[in-house]
Amino acid sequence: MAQAVVTSSKLRLVFQVGMDDDGKPVLKSKTLSNIQKSATADQLYQAAQALIGLSNDTLSNIERVDNADLLA
């Protein structure tokens, strides 16, 4: 059975910075690397909330991005 071993984690904050001519939201993201692989969802959410306060843009989404190696 294959296993996934997480090799790195990132925290991505997606902001809505405006609207285009068609009325669709324009999104911009900020990615923070070197997040501890053991960080919990609550810890990442708290960190994101602290960082959101530094931006004037509207938050659209908070994402955790994990990279993993698949081993047989």
Side-chain angles (χ1 to χ4, degrees), residues 31-67:
T31 303
L32 304 163
S33 301
N34 298 322
I35 302 298
Q36 288 185 353
K37 296 179 282 187
S38 61
T40 66
D42 285 335
Q43 290 170 330
L44 292 178
Y45 187 79
Q46 288 176 358
Q49 289 297 319
L51 293 170
I52 291 165
L54 301 175
S55 175
N56 292 330
D57 298 320
T58 303
L59 180 70
S60 175
N61 201 19
I62 302 170
E63 303 171 355
R64 179 183 184 144
V65 180
D66 289 330
N67 292 321

Side-chain angles (χ1 to χ4, degrees), residues 3-57:
Q3 292 181 329
V5 178
V6 176
T7 57
S8 65
S9 291
K10 297 178 184 180
L11 179 63
R12 180 181 301 148
L13 305 176
V14 181
F15 296 95
Q16 181 177 337
V17 295
M19 301 292 272
D20 67 9
D21 294 336
D22 297 327
K24 296 180 183 176
V26 176
L27 302 176
K28 176 179 75 171
S29 67
K30 176 65 178 170
T31 303
L32 304 163
S33 301
N34 298 322
I35 302 298
Q36 288 185 353
K37 296 179 282 187
S38 61
T40 66
D42 285 335
Q43 290 170 330
L44 292 178
Y45 187 79
Q46 288 176 358
Q49 289 297 319
L51 293 170
I52 291 165
L54 301 175
S55 175
N56 292 330
D57 298 320

